[in-house]
Amino acid sequence: GALGAASMLEVLFLAFPTSASDMQILRYQGVVLDIVLQVLPSELSTADEDVYRHATQMASLVLDQTMSGAFTKAVISAGLDLNLHVLRSLSGQRANQVLGNQAQQALISRAVFTTQHLSVVALHRCSVNGSASQSVLAQIRSNVHLLLTTRGRDSAAARKGGGGGSGWKR
């Protein structure tokens, strides 16, 4: 069968020569994420059910990669952009028309879980001498209402580990 978008993204994150330096790997991963961010908005504007599911899985993958320490501050900021965009798209009327209420609420629960956790991880990872990077703070500040008030029907299950990537770990 076809390789899902999240699986393909994971393969791309790991597709670099063994001779690459850490900085080259991080730059490469940043470029991959930037390409996804350029393509995702247009894909979500005309999305079908599979696109919404793949976008939610990619958002979870970004959380997993960030928690594993794989990303620089700039890539974490781009990853937070991706997660916020997916959450906004899932919360819209178009997603409800395409997915139906039950599927939309389940994907929103997962997206809220991953985006909230990525926000916390981003604040922690992007801190310099106890103060978080201005770009991460601005992203969270401008989306705090979305992060704190958007809830899917399964939000309690998502918080128990069923909603994002591989669960909450450090």
Side-chain angles (χ1 to χ4, degrees), residues 40-56:
L40 192 63
S42 64
E43 289 297 314
L44 286 172
S45 69
T46 60
D48 63 11
E49 188 171 343
D50 286 338
V51 172
Y52 284 113
R53 291 187 193 287
H54 289 302
T56 305

Side-chain angles (χ1 to χ4, degrees), residues 5-17:
S7 298
M8 181 63 79
L9 183 60
E10 186 172 24
V11 167
L12 286 173
F13 280 147
L14 301 173
F16 47 82

Side-chain angles (χ1 to χ4, degrees), residues 54-138:
H54 289 302
T56 305
Q57 292 168 349
M58 287 191 294
S60 293
L61 175 64
V62 168
L63 172 63
D64 290 344
Q65 291 289 315
T66 302
M67 288 175 52
S68 72
F71 292 152
T72 63
K73 291 177 188 178
V75 178
I76 291 171
S77 182
L80 189 55
D81 275 345
L82 182 139
N83 274 260
L84 288 164
H85 189 80
V86 169
L87 181 56
R88 276 191 298 276
S89 294
L90 285 169
S91 300
Q93 183 64 29
R94 170 130 175 83
N96 185 266
Q97 292 169 346
V98 170
L99 298 167
N101 193 51
Q102 187 174 8
Q104 180 191 27
Q105 293 303 310
L107 288 176
I108 286 173
S109 294
R110 184 173 182 181
V112 166
F113 177 87
T114 59
T115 307
Q116 287 173 342
H117 284 81
L118 182 59
S119 296
V120 172
V121 173
L123 286 170
H124 175 73
R125 294 268 326 278
C126 295
S127 292
V128 178
N129 298 326
S131 62
S133 102
Q134 292 303 311
S135 66
V136 168
L137 282 175

